[in-house]
Structures are given as structure tokens and as C-alpha cells.
Amino acid sequence: MTSEPSRQEPGDTTGLTQDAGWEIGVSKTLPLPVDAVWDFIVSPEGVALWLGKGVELPTEKGEEYATDEGVTGELRSYRPGDRVRLTYGTTTLQVAVSASGSGKAVLRFHQEHLGDAVERERQRAHWKAVTAEVVQALGVS
């Protein structure tokens, strides 16, 4: 059984904030320790899934990157074991891993400064698909 992605109705401002414009967040609780999820997310295999193939994840503030798909950006912050925040084209993307209960981790993708509700829905589908790929690569459900 598959579920249809949620669709925003005309005039719906869900995801519209005063400071960050349109934003989207996707999260998944995983039955793995934070360190295991973090280590994967910042590994070349993990980075290829969420940032792009061939990209080396910057770790110093201000370092730039470019994906094979043409997305460019720069690192805003890197907190080992916790989160990465970077520009992603004209938007800002944060990937975070935090503890949730005994031995579980929550993986979060948060993107802000999206253009409109249509881009928000498109990015929601994108980050859900990325999350599913990460879950599959980690061998969990």
C-alpha cells in the first residue's frame, strides 16, 4: 500500500514562516544509536544520498561544494555527531541526528527559504525519498 503525498489546498500556508519563508521538515526514528546514523550520514555513501554523488562534505564554515546535478552551496555550521547546516542552492538545508529513547536516533532533514508551496511539496517528496534510501542503506525499517 502506498500513500499519496499530502497536497496543499489553495490558500493553505502550512510551512510558511515569517523568518524562513516556506520550509519543510522530514524526520524518521531509527532503531540505531546516534553515532551509527551520524557516521553513515557523513560518510561518502551517505552524503551521496542526501547531498549528491561525488560531493565531499565540507566541515569548515564557509567551505563550498557543488553536486553533479549543479547544486552549489557553502557550509554554515558543522557540529560533529549532531548536525550539518549549509546553503543548498538558494535554500538552507540542515541535516540533524539526535537521540530518541533507548538506543534510537532521529534523522531530520529541514529545508527553508523555499520559493512557494509547490516547491515545498516537491521538496517534501524529495526528502521522504532520501530518507527511505537512507533507511534502506542502513538495513533498518
Side-chain angles (χ1 to χ4, degrees), residues 15-17 19-27 50 83-88 91-97 107-114 120 123-124 127 131:
L16 180 60
T17 67
D19 296 332
W22 291 95
E23 62 182 13
I24 184 64
V26 173
S27 65
W50 66 268
R83 69 190 65 221
V84 175
R85 188 169 173 83
L86 40 78
T87 61
Y88 186 81
T91 70
T92 300
L93 174 64
Q94 180 171 282
V95 181
V97 180
L107 172 63
R108 289 184 176 86
F109 293 96
H110 183 264
Q111 191 174 13
E112 55 193 40
H113 302 294
L114 298 168
R120 180 179 187 270
Q123 290 307 104
R124 175 198 305 277
W127 294 117
T131 300

PDB file of all heavy atoms in Angstrom, residues 15-17 19-27 50 83-88 91-97 107-114 120 123-124 127 131:
ATOM      1  N   GLY A  15       3.612  25.572   6.538  1.00  0.00           N
ATOM      2  CA  GLY A  15       5.009  25.589   6.141  1.00  0.00           C
ATOM      3  C   GLY A  15       5.539  26.967   5.794  1.00  0.00           C
ATOM      4  O   GLY A  15       6.707  27.105   5.431  1.00  0.00           O
ATOM      5  N   LEU A  16       4.711  27.982   5.905  1.00  0.00           N
ATOM      6  CA  LEU A  16       5.156  29.351   5.628  1.00  0.00           C
ATOM      7  C   LEU A  16       5.457  30.034   6.951  1.00  0.00           C
ATOM      8  O   LEU A  16       4.583  30.150   7.815  1.00  0.00           O
ATOM      9  CB  LEU A  16       4.078  30.125   4.869  1.00  0.00           C
ATOM     10  CG  LEU A  16       4.415  31.573   4.505  1.00  0.00           C
ATOM     11  CD1 LEU A  16       5.655  31.642   3.618  1.00  0.00           C
ATOM     12  CD2 LEU A  16       3.223  32.231   3.810  1.00  0.00           C
ATOM     13  N   THR A  17       6.704  30.452   7.111  1.00  0.00           N
ATOM     14  CA  THR A  17       7.105  31.127   8.343  1.00  0.00           C
ATOM     15  C   THR A  17       7.466  32.571   8.040  1.00  0.00           C
ATOM     16  O   THR A  17       7.797  32.918   6.903  1.00  0.00           O
ATOM     17  CB  THR A  17       8.322  30.436   8.996  1.00  0.00           C
ATOM     18  OG1 THR A  17       9.451  30.601   8.142  1.00  0.00           O
ATOM     19  CG2 THR A  17       8.053  28.967   9.241  1.00  0.00           C
ATOM     20  N   ASP A  19      10.120  34.220   9.274  1.00  0.00           N
ATOM     21  CA  ASP A  19      11.565  34.420   9.147  1.00  0.00           C
ATOM     22  C   ASP A  19      12.220  33.614   8.032  1.00  0.00           C
ATOM     23  O   ASP A  19      13.124  34.100   7.369  1.00  0.00           O
ATOM     24  CB  ASP A  19      12.264  34.082  10.467  1.00  0.00           C
ATOM     25  CG  ASP A  19      11.846  35.014  11.591  1.00  0.00           C
ATOM     26  OD1 ASP A  19      11.491  36.162  11.304  1.00  0.00           O
ATOM     27  OD2 ASP A  19      11.882  34.576  12.749  1.00  0.00           O
ATOM     28  N   ALA A  20      11.784  32.370   7.823  1.00  0.00           N
ATOM     29  CA  ALA A  20      12.473  31.485   6.885  1.00  0.00           C
ATOM     30  C   ALA A  20      11.678  31.215   5.611  1.00  0.00           C
ATOM     31  O   ALA A  20      12.065  30.384   4.804  1.00  0.00           O
ATOM     32  CB  ALA A  20      12.810  30.164   7.569  1.00  0.00           C
ATOM     33  N   GLY A  21      10.567  31.911   5.429  1.00  0.00           N
ATOM     34  CA  GLY A  21       9.749  31.664   4.244  1.00  0.00           C
ATOM     35  C   GLY A  21       9.152  30.268   4.282  1.00  0.00           C
ATOM     36  O   GLY A  21       8.866  29.724   5.343  1.00  0.00           O
ATOM     37  N   TRP A  22       8.990  29.666   3.113  1.00  0.00           N
ATOM     38  CA  TRP A  22       8.450  28.311   3.027  1.00  0.00           C
ATOM     39  C   TRP A  22       9.515  27.331   3.479  1.00  0.00           C
ATOM     40  O   TRP A  22      10.676  27.435   3.090  1.00  0.00           O
ATOM     41  CB  TRP A  22       8.019  27.998   1.602  1.00  0.00           C
ATOM     42  CG  TRP A  22       6.828  28.781   1.171  1.00  0.00           C
ATOM     43  CD1 TRP A  22       6.831  29.954   0.475  1.00  0.00           C
ATOM     44  CD2 TRP A  22       5.466  28.467   1.430  1.00  0.00           C
ATOM     45  NE1 TRP A  22       5.541  30.381   0.290  1.00  0.00           N
ATOM     46  CE2 TRP A  22       4.679  29.487   0.858  1.00  0.00           C
ATOM     47  CE3 TRP A  22       4.826  27.417   2.084  1.00  0.00           C
ATOM     48  CZ2 TRP A  22       3.294  29.488   0.912  1.00  0.00           C
ATOM     49  CZ3 TRP A  22       3.442  27.414   2.143  1.00  0.00           C
ATOM     50  CH2 TRP A  22       2.686  28.432   1.568  1.00  0.00           C
ATOM     51  N   GLU A  23       9.115  26.355   4.308  1.00  0.00           N
ATOM     52  CA  GLU A  23      10.059  25.361   4.802  1.00  0.00           C
ATOM     53  C   GLU A  23       9.405  23.996   4.895  1.00  0.00           C
ATOM     54  O   GLU A  23       8.179  23.882   4.880  1.00  0.00           O
ATOM     55  CB  GLU A  23      10.637  25.772   6.156  1.00  0.00           C
ATOM     56  CG  GLU A  23       9.601  25.886   7.256  1.00  0.00           C
ATOM     57  CD  GLU A  23      10.188  26.344   8.578  1.00  0.00           C
ATOM     58  OE1 GLU A  23      11.335  26.820   8.615  1.00  0.00           O
ATOM     59  OE2 GLU A  23       9.480  26.228   9.582  1.00  0.00           O
ATOM     60  N   ILE A  24      10.252  22.980   4.968  1.00  0.00           N
ATOM     61  CA  ILE A  24       9.771  21.610   5.082  1.00  0.00           C
ATOM     62  C   ILE A  24      10.712  20.848   6.008  1.00  0.00           C
ATOM     63  O   ILE A  24      11.907  21.106   6.028  1.00  0.00           O
ATOM     64  CB  ILE A  24       9.683  20.905   3.699  1.00  0.00           C
ATOM     65  CG1 ILE A  24       9.078  19.512   3.815  1.00  0.00           C
ATOM     66  CG2 ILE A  24      11.041  20.820   3.033  1.00  0.00           C
ATOM     67  CD1 ILE A  24       7.661  19.486   4.293  1.00  0.00           C
ATOM     68  N   GLY A  25      10.136  19.942   6.765  1.00  0.00           N
ATOM     69  CA  GLY A  25      10.929  19.071   7.619  1.00  0.00           C
ATOM     70  C   GLY A  25      10.450  17.642   7.469  1.00  0.00           C
ATOM     71  O   GLY A  25       9.246  17.387   7.407  1.00  0.00           O
ATOM     72  N   VAL A  26      11.388  16.723   7.351  1.00  0.00           N
ATOM     73  CA  VAL A  26      11.085  15.302   7.271  1.00  0.00           C
ATOM     74  C   VAL A  26      11.970  14.607   8.296  1.00  0.00           C
ATOM     75  O   VAL A  26      13.173  14.878   8.363  1.00  0.00           O
ATOM     76  CB  VAL A  26      11.363  14.751   5.853  1.00  0.00           C
ATOM     77  CG1 VAL A  26      11.223  13.242   5.811  1.00  0.00           C
ATOM     78  CG2 VAL A  26      10.433  15.410   4.839  1.00  0.00           C
ATOM     79  N   SER A  27      11.370  13.731   9.108  1.00  0.00           N
ATOM     80  CA  SER A  27      12.164  13.026  10.113  1.00  0.00           C
ATOM     81  C   SER A  27      11.765  11.564  10.180  1.00  0.00           C
ATOM     82  O   SER A  27      10.664  11.185   9.773  1.00  0.00           O
ATOM     83  CB  SER A  27      11.993  13.680  11.484  1.00  0.00           C
ATOM     84  OG  SER A  27      10.672  13.543  11.945  1.00  0.00           O
ATOM     85  N   TRP A  50      22.077  12.142   0.240  1.00  0.00           N
ATOM     86  CA  TRP A  50      21.331  13.355   0.589  1.00  0.00           C
ATOM     87  C   TRP A  50      21.872  14.632  -0.024  1.00  0.00           C
ATOM     88  O   TRP A  50      21.124  15.579  -0.245  1.00  0.00           O
ATOM     89  CB  TRP A  50      21.170  13.517   2.104  1.00  0.00           C
ATOM     90  CG  TRP A  50      22.427  13.749   2.890  1.00  0.00           C
ATOM     91  CD1 TRP A  50      23.207  12.801   3.473  1.00  0.00           C
ATOM     92  CD2 TRP A  50      23.006  15.009   3.227  1.00  0.00           C
ATOM     93  NE1 TRP A  50      24.255  13.394   4.124  1.00  0.00           N
ATOM     94  CE2 TRP A  50      24.142  14.748   4.008  1.00  0.00           C
ATOM     95  CE3 TRP A  50      22.669  16.334   2.953  1.00  0.00           C
ATOM     96  CZ2 TRP A  50      24.962  15.756   4.507  1.00  0.00           C
ATOM     97  CZ3 TRP A  50      23.479  17.340   3.457  1.00  0.00           C
ATOM     98  CH2 TRP A  50      24.611  17.056   4.224  1.00  0.00           C
ATOM     99  N   ARG A  83      24.739  17.887  13.818  1.00  0.00           N
ATOM    100  CA  ARG A  83      24.070  18.489  12.662  1.00  0.00           C
ATOM    101  C   ARG A  83      25.045  19.138  11.689  1.00  0.00           C
ATOM    102  O   ARG A  83      26.140  19.527  12.067  1.00  0.00           O
ATOM    103  CB  ARG A  83      23.026  19.502  13.086  1.00  0.00           C
ATOM    104  CG  ARG A  83      23.572  20.765  13.698  1.00  0.00           C
ATOM    105  CD  ARG A  83      22.489  21.620  14.317  1.00  0.00           C
ATOM    106  NE  ARG A  83      21.922  20.900  15.434  1.00  0.00           N
ATOM    107  CZ  ARG A  83      20.623  20.862  15.728  1.00  0.00           C
ATOM    108  NH1 ARG A  83      19.769  21.533  15.011  1.00  0.00           N
ATOM    109  NH2 ARG A  83      20.190  20.177  16.750  1.00  0.00           N
ATOM    110  N   VAL A  84      24.551  19.246  10.460  1.00  0.00           N
ATOM    111  CA  VAL A  84      25.230  19.965   9.382  1.00  0.00           C
ATOM    112  C   VAL A  84      24.216  20.963   8.850  1.00  0.00           C
ATOM    113  O   VAL A  84      23.065  20.613   8.598  1.00  0.00           O
ATOM    114  CB  VAL A  84      25.633  19.008   8.226  1.00  0.00           C
ATOM    115  CG1 VAL A  84      26.226  19.783   7.070  1.00  0.00           C
ATOM    116  CG2 VAL A  84      26.560  17.924   8.708  1.00  0.00           C
ATOM    117  N   ARG A  85      24.656  22.210   8.686  1.00  0.00           N
ATOM    118  CA  ARG A  85      23.785  23.242   8.125  1.00  0.00           C
ATOM    119  C   ARG A  85      24.549  23.887   6.978  1.00  0.00           C
ATOM    120  O   ARG A  85      25.687  24.296   7.144  1.00  0.00           O
ATOM    121  CB  ARG A  85      23.420  24.262   9.195  1.00  0.00           C
ATOM    122  CG  ARG A  85      22.372  25.269   8.774  1.00  0.00           C
ATOM    123  CD  ARG A  85      21.896  26.067   9.998  1.00  0.00           C
ATOM    124  NE  ARG A  85      21.021  27.128   9.622  1.00  0.00           N
ATOM    125  CZ  ARG A  85      19.717  27.012   9.392  1.00  0.00           C
ATOM    126  NH1 ARG A  85      19.150  25.836   9.492  1.00  0.00           N
ATOM    127  NH2 ARG A  85      18.995  28.061   9.062  1.00  0.00           N
ATOM    128  N   LEU A  86      23.885  23.938   5.806  1.00  0.00           N
ATOM    129  CA  LEU A  86      24.555  24.504   4.638  1.00  0.00           C
ATOM    130  C   LEU A  86      23.549  25.129   3.705  1.00  0.00           C
ATOM    131  O   LEU A  86      22.356  24.848   3.774  1.00  0.00           O
ATOM    132  CB  LEU A  86      25.380  23.436   3.914  1.00  0.00           C
ATOM    133  CG  LEU A  86      24.819  22.024   3.759  1.00  0.00           C
ATOM    134  CD1 LEU A  86      23.804  21.930   2.656  1.00  0.00           C
ATOM    135  CD2 LEU A  86      25.957  21.061   3.489  1.00  0.00           C
ATOM    136  N   THR A  87      24.057  26.016   2.858  1.00  0.00           N
ATOM    137  CA  THR A  87      23.184  26.528   1.811  1.00  0.00           C
ATOM    138  C   THR A  87      23.076  25.437   0.764  1.00  0.00           C
ATOM    139  O   THR A  87      24.003  24.644   0.557  1.00  0.00           O
ATOM    140  CB  THR A  87      23.699  27.843   1.196  1.00  0.00           C
ATOM    141  OG1 THR A  87      24.971  27.625   0.608  1.00  0.00           O
ATOM    142  CG2 THR A  87      23.777  28.951   2.237  1.00  0.00           C
ATOM    143  N   TYR A  88      21.930  25.374   0.123  1.00  0.00           N
ATOM    144  CA  TYR A  88      21.632  24.339  -0.874  1.00  0.00           C
ATOM    145  C   TYR A  88      20.948  25.064  -2.013  1.00  0.00           C
ATOM    146  O   TYR A  88      19.732  25.264  -1.993  1.00  0.00           O
ATOM    147  CB  TYR A  88      20.724  23.294  -0.216  1.00  0.00           C
ATOM    148  CG  TYR A  88      20.411  22.080  -1.044  1.00  0.00           C
ATOM    149  CD1 TYR A  88      21.311  21.026  -1.144  1.00  0.00           C
ATOM    150  CD2 TYR A  88      19.195  21.971  -1.698  1.00  0.00           C
ATOM    151  CE1 TYR A  88      21.009  19.892  -1.876  1.00  0.00           C
ATOM    152  CE2 TYR A  88      18.872  20.828  -2.425  1.00  0.00           C
ATOM    153  CZ  TYR A  88      19.790  19.797  -2.514  1.00  0.00           C
ATOM    154  OH  TYR A  88      19.477  18.676  -3.239  1.00  0.00           O
ATOM    155  N   THR A  91      18.397  27.856  -1.073  1.00  0.00           N
ATOM    156  CA  THR A  91      17.761  27.493   0.188  1.00  0.00           C
ATOM    157  C   THR A  91      18.806  27.156   1.243  1.00  0.00           C
ATOM    158  O   THR A  91      20.003  27.156   0.961  1.00  0.00           O
ATOM    159  CB  THR A  91      16.820  26.280  -0.002  1.00  0.00           C
ATOM    160  OG1 THR A  91      17.600  25.118  -0.259  1.00  0.00           O
ATOM    161  CG2 THR A  91      15.823  26.512  -1.134  1.00  0.00           C
ATOM    162  N   THR A  92      18.331  26.864   2.438  1.00  0.00           N
ATOM    163  CA  THR A  92      19.210  26.413   3.516  1.00  0.00           C
ATOM    164  C   THR A  92      18.733  25.039   3.947  1.00  0.00           C
ATOM    165  O   THR A  92      17.535  24.815   4.127  1.00  0.00           O
ATOM    166  CB  THR A  92      19.159  27.386   4.714  1.00  0.00           C
ATOM    167  OG1 THR A  92      19.576  28.682   4.262  1.00  0.00           O
ATOM    168  CG2 THR A  92      20.082  26.922   5.834  1.00  0.00           C
ATOM    169  N   LEU A  93      19.682  24.124   4.098  1.00  0.00           N
ATOM    170  CA  LEU A  93      19.389  22.751   4.461  1.00  0.00           C
ATOM    171  C   LEU A  93      20.112  22.398   5.743  1.00  0.00           C
ATOM    172  O   LEU A  93      21.283  22.736   5.914  1.00  0.00           O
ATOM    173  CB  LEU A  93      19.848  21.809   3.345  1.00  0.00           C
ATOM    174  CG  LEU A  93      19.744  20.310   3.610  1.00  0.00           C
ATOM    175  CD1 LEU A  93      18.290  19.890   3.784  1.00  0.00           C
ATOM    176  CD2 LEU A  93      20.391  19.534   2.465  1.00  0.00           C
ATOM    177  N   GLN A  94      19.393  21.731   6.629  1.00  0.00           N
ATOM    178  CA  GLN A  94      20.002  21.217   7.851  1.00  0.00           C
ATOM    179  C   GLN A  94      19.708  19.728   7.940  1.00  0.00           C
ATOM    180  O   GLN A  94      18.577  19.301   7.726  1.00  0.00           O
ATOM    181  CB  GLN A  94      19.437  21.927   9.079  1.00  0.00           C
ATOM    182  CG  GLN A  94      20.033  21.421  10.378  1.00  0.00           C
ATOM    183  CD  GLN A  94      19.624  22.275  11.547  1.00  0.00           C
ATOM    184  OE1 GLN A  94      20.172  23.343  11.747  1.00  0.00           O
ATOM    185  NE2 GLN A  94      18.649  21.817  12.295  1.00  0.00           N
ATOM    186  N   VAL A  95      20.737  18.958   8.239  1.00  0.00           N
ATOM    187  CA  VAL A  95      20.607  17.527   8.478  1.00  0.00           C
ATOM    188  C   VAL A  95      21.059  17.307   9.909  1.00  0.00           C
ATOM    189  O   VAL A  95      22.168  17.699  10.280  1.00  0.00           O
ATOM    190  CB  VAL A  95      21.471  16.701   7.505  1.00  0.00           C
ATOM    191  CG1 VAL A  95      21.290  15.215   7.763  1.00  0.00           C
ATOM    192  CG2 VAL A  95      21.129  17.048   6.067  1.00  0.00           C
ATOM    193  N   ALA A  96      20.177  16.714  10.718  1.00  0.00           N
ATOM    194  CA  ALA A  96      20.483  16.529  12.132  1.00  0.00           C
ATOM    195  C   ALA A  96      20.191  15.098  12.559  1.00  0.00           C
ATOM    196  O   ALA A  96      19.290  14.450  12.013  1.00  0.00           O
ATOM    197  CB  ALA A  96      19.657  17.501  12.977  1.00  0.00           C
ATOM    198  N   VAL A  97      20.950  14.643  13.544  1.00  0.00           N
ATOM    199  CA  VAL A  97      20.737  13.333  14.145  1.00  0.00           C
ATOM    200  C   VAL A  97      20.710  13.551  15.650  1.00  0.00           C
ATOM    201  O   VAL A  97      21.614  14.172  16.207  1.00  0.00           O
ATOM    202  CB  VAL A  97      21.864  12.339  13.773  1.00  0.00           C
ATOM    203  CG1 VAL A  97      21.607  10.985  14.404  1.00  0.00           C
ATOM    204  CG2 VAL A  97      21.999  12.210  12.260  1.00  0.00           C
ATOM    205  N   LEU A 107      16.613  10.973  12.589  1.00  0.00           N
ATOM    206  CA  LEU A 107      17.262  11.634  11.467  1.00  0.00           C
ATOM    207  C   LEU A 107      16.299  12.690  10.949  1.00  0.00           C
ATOM    208  O   LEU A 107      15.130  12.383  10.685  1.00  0.00           O
ATOM    209  CB  LEU A 107      17.576  10.618  10.372  1.00  0.00           C
ATOM    210  CG  LEU A 107      18.091  11.180   9.042  1.00  0.00           C
ATOM    211  CD1 LEU A 107      19.424  11.892   9.227  1.00  0.00           C
ATOM    212  CD2 LEU A 107      18.199  10.063   8.012  1.00  0.00           C
ATOM    213  N   ARG A 108      16.785  13.923  10.825  1.00  0.00           N
ATOM    214  CA  ARG A 108      15.926  15.019  10.372  1.00  0.00           C
ATOM    215  C   ARG A 108      16.563  15.767   9.204  1.00  0.00           C
ATOM    216  O   ARG A 108      17.743  16.106   9.253  1.00  0.00           O
ATOM    217  CB  ARG A 108      15.707  16.030  11.494  1.00  0.00           C
ATOM    218  CG  ARG A 108      14.846  15.558  12.609  1.00  0.00           C
ATOM    219  CD  ARG A 108      14.613  16.686  13.639  1.00  0.00           C
ATOM    220  NE  ARG A 108      13.711  16.248  14.673  1.00  0.00           N
ATOM    221  CZ  ARG A 108      14.082  15.592  15.758  1.00  0.00           C
ATOM    222  NH1 ARG A 108      15.341  15.302  15.956  1.00  0.00           N
ATOM    223  NH2 ARG A 108      13.186  15.231  16.661  1.00  0.00           N
ATOM    224  N   PHE A 109      15.730  16.038   8.198  1.00  0.00           N
ATOM    225  CA  PHE A 109      16.104  16.929   7.111  1.00  0.00           C
ATOM    226  C   PHE A 109      15.182  18.129   7.216  1.00  0.00           C
ATOM    227  O   PHE A 109      13.965  17.972   7.297  1.00  0.00           O
ATOM    228  CB  PHE A 109      15.909  16.247   5.743  1.00  0.00           C
ATOM    229  CG  PHE A 109      16.843  15.102   5.504  1.00  0.00           C
ATOM    230  CD1 PHE A 109      16.445  13.802   5.763  1.00  0.00           C
ATOM    231  CD2 PHE A 109      18.124  15.329   5.022  1.00  0.00           C
ATOM    232  CE1 PHE A 109      17.302  12.737   5.547  1.00  0.00           C
ATOM    233  CE2 PHE A 109      18.990  14.274   4.805  1.00  0.00           C
ATOM    234  CZ  PHE A 109      18.585  12.965   5.068  1.00  0.00           C
ATOM    235  N   HIS A 110      15.747  19.320   7.228  1.00  0.00           N
ATOM    236  CA  HIS A 110      14.957  20.541   7.322  1.00  0.00           C
ATOM    237  C   HIS A 110      15.480  21.519   6.279  1.00  0.00           C
ATOM    238  O   HIS A 110      16.667  21.821   6.251  1.00  0.00           O
ATOM    239  CB  HIS A 110      15.075  21.147   8.727  1.00  0.00           C
ATOM    240  CG  HIS A 110      14.234  22.357   8.901  1.00  0.00           C
ATOM    241  ND1 HIS A 110      14.729  23.623   8.742  1.00  0.00           N
ATOM    242  CD2 HIS A 110      12.922  22.494   9.185  1.00  0.00           C
ATOM    243  CE1 HIS A 110      13.749  24.501   8.945  1.00  0.00           C
ATOM    244  NE2 HIS A 110      12.647  23.837   9.204  1.00  0.00           N
ATOM    245  N   GLN A 111      14.581  21.970   5.410  1.00  0.00           N
ATOM    246  CA  GLN A 111      14.964  22.899   4.348  1.00  0.00           C
ATOM    247  C   GLN A 111      14.088  24.133   4.446  1.00  0.00           C
ATOM    248  O   GLN A 111      12.865  24.030   4.577  1.00  0.00           O
ATOM    249  CB  GLN A 111      14.817  22.221   2.988  1.00  0.00           C
ATOM    250  CG  GLN A 111      15.426  22.991   1.857  1.00  0.00           C
ATOM    251  CD  GLN A 111      15.400  22.214   0.542  1.00  0.00           C
ATOM    252  OE1 GLN A 111      14.723  21.204   0.412  1.00  0.00           O
ATOM    253  NE2 GLN A 111      16.134  22.703  -0.432  1.00  0.00           N
ATOM    254  N   GLU A 112      14.722  25.297   4.375  1.00  0.00           N
ATOM    255  CA  GLU A 112      13.977  26.554   4.475  1.00  0.00           C
ATOM    256  C   GLU A 112      14.348  27.496   3.339  1.00  0.00           C
ATOM    257  O   GLU A 112      15.275  27.231   2.591  1.00  0.00           O
ATOM    258  CB  GLU A 112      14.209  27.214   5.834  1.00  0.00           C
ATOM    259  CG  GLU A 112      15.649  27.433   6.173  1.00  0.00           C
ATOM    260  CD  GLU A 112      15.879  27.795   7.629  1.00  0.00           C
ATOM    261  OE1 GLU A 112      15.229  27.226   8.526  1.00  0.00           O
ATOM    262  OE2 GLU A 112      16.740  28.670   7.859  1.00  0.00           O
ATOM    263  N   HIS A 113      13.598  28.572   3.246  1.00  0.00           N
ATOM    264  CA  HIS A 113      13.743  29.571   2.184  1.00  0.00           C
ATOM    265  C   HIS A 113      13.336  29.006   0.822  1.00  0.00           C
ATOM    266  O   HIS A 113      13.917  29.353  -0.206  1.00  0.00           O
ATOM    267  CB  HIS A 113      15.159  30.157   2.132  1.00  0.00           C
ATOM    268  CG  HIS A 113      15.586  30.787   3.419  1.00  0.00           C
ATOM    269  ND1 HIS A 113      14.988  31.912   3.928  1.00  0.00           N
ATOM    270  CD2 HIS A 113      16.526  30.413   4.316  1.00  0.00           C
ATOM    271  CE1 HIS A 113      15.556  32.223   5.082  1.00  0.00           C
ATOM    272  NE2 HIS A 113      16.490  31.319   5.339  1.00  0.00           N
ATOM    273  N   LEU A 114      12.329  28.125   0.840  1.00  0.00           N
ATOM    274  CA  LEU A 114      11.788  27.586  -0.408  1.00  0.00           C
ATOM    275  C   LEU A 114      10.946  28.661  -1.089  1.00  0.00           C
ATOM    276  O   LEU A 114      10.422  29.562  -0.423  1.00  0.00           O
ATOM    277  CB  LEU A 114      10.962  26.333  -0.121  1.00  0.00           C
ATOM    278  CG  LEU A 114      11.757  25.178   0.507  1.00  0.00           C
ATOM    279  CD1 LEU A 114      10.819  24.101   1.036  1.00  0.00           C
ATOM    280  CD2 LEU A 114      12.744  24.599  -0.484  1.00  0.00           C
ATOM    281  N   ARG A 120       7.707  23.559  -1.870  1.00  0.00           N
ATOM    282  CA  ARG A 120       7.661  22.878  -0.570  1.00  0.00           C
ATOM    283  C   ARG A 120       7.186  21.438  -0.735  1.00  0.00           C
ATOM    284  O   ARG A 120       7.779  20.512  -0.191  1.00  0.00           O
ATOM    285  CB  ARG A 120       6.743  23.634   0.395  1.00  0.00           C
ATOM    286  CG  ARG A 120       6.654  22.980   1.757  1.00  0.00           C
ATOM    287  CD  ARG A 120       5.745  23.794   2.698  1.00  0.00           C
ATOM    288  NE  ARG A 120       5.820  23.243   4.026  1.00  0.00           N
ATOM    289  CZ  ARG A 120       5.024  22.286   4.499  1.00  0.00           C
ATOM    290  NH1 ARG A 120       4.083  21.771   3.727  1.00  0.00           N
ATOM    291  NH2 ARG A 120       5.171  21.833   5.723  1.00  0.00           N
ATOM    292  N   GLN A 123       9.842  19.338  -2.484  1.00  0.00           N
ATOM    293  CA  GLN A 123      10.954  19.020  -1.591  1.00  0.00           C
ATOM    294  C   GLN A 123      10.524  18.044  -0.489  1.00  0.00           C
ATOM    295  O   GLN A 123      11.332  17.229  -0.044  1.00  0.00           O
ATOM    296  CB  GLN A 123      11.564  20.283  -1.004  1.00  0.00           C
ATOM    297  CG  GLN A 123      12.325  21.100  -2.043  1.00  0.00           C
ATOM    298  CD  GLN A 123      13.363  20.273  -2.790  1.00  0.00           C
ATOM    299  OE1 GLN A 123      13.171  19.884  -3.935  1.00  0.00           O
ATOM    300  NE2 GLN A 123      14.477  19.976  -2.126  1.00  0.00           N
ATOM    301  N   ARG A 124       9.283  18.097  -0.083  1.00  0.00           N
ATOM    302  CA  ARG A 124       8.782  17.107   0.885  1.00  0.00           C
ATOM    303  C   ARG A 124       8.923  15.705   0.284  1.00  0.00           C
ATOM    304  O   ARG A 124       9.449  14.796   0.918  1.00  0.00           O
ATOM    305  CB  ARG A 124       7.318  17.342   1.246  1.00  0.00           C
ATOM    306  CG  ARG A 124       6.756  16.237   2.165  1.00  0.00           C
ATOM    307  CD  ARG A 124       5.238  16.183   2.189  1.00  0.00           C
ATOM    308  NE  ARG A 124       4.582  17.405   2.543  1.00  0.00           N
ATOM    309  CZ  ARG A 124       4.381  17.836   3.789  1.00  0.00           C
ATOM    310  NH1 ARG A 124       4.803  17.127   4.804  1.00  0.00           N
ATOM    311  NH2 ARG A 124       3.747  18.956   4.000  1.00  0.00           N
ATOM    312  N   TRP A 127      12.732  14.727   0.135  1.00  0.00           N
ATOM    313  CA  TRP A 127      13.363  14.352   1.408  1.00  0.00           C
ATOM    314  C   TRP A 127      12.768  13.068   1.972  1.00  0.00           C
ATOM    315  O   TRP A 127      13.467  12.298   2.628  1.00  0.00           O
ATOM    316  CB  TRP A 127      13.338  15.502   2.407  1.00  0.00           C
ATOM    317  CG  TRP A 127      14.202  16.632   1.922  1.00  0.00           C
ATOM    318  CD1 TRP A 127      13.806  17.893   1.597  1.00  0.00           C
ATOM    319  CD2 TRP A 127      15.601  16.575   1.632  1.00  0.00           C
ATOM    320  NE1 TRP A 127      14.876  18.617   1.129  1.00  0.00           N
ATOM    321  CE2 TRP A 127      15.988  17.838   1.144  1.00  0.00           C
ATOM    322  CE3 TRP A 127      16.571  15.570   1.729  1.00  0.00           C
ATOM    323  CZ2 TRP A 127      17.304  18.127   0.767  1.00  0.00           C
ATOM    324  CZ3 TRP A 127      17.875  15.864   1.350  1.00  0.00           C
ATOM    325  CH2 TRP A 127      18.229  17.124   0.882  1.00  0.00           C
ATOM    326  N   THR A 131      15.105   9.924   2.710  1.00  0.00           N
ATOM    327  CA  THR A 131      15.019   9.229   3.995  1.00  0.00           C
ATOM    328  C   THR A 131      14.821   7.734   3.776  1.00  0.00           C
ATOM    329  O   THR A 131      15.474   6.911   4.435  1.00  0.00           O
ATOM    330  CB  THR A 131      13.885   9.822   4.857  1.00  0.00           C
ATOM    331  OG1 THR A 131      14.169  11.210   5.081  1.00  0.00           O
ATOM    332  CG2 THR A 131      13.758   9.104   6.189  1.00  0.00           C
TER     333      THR A 131
END
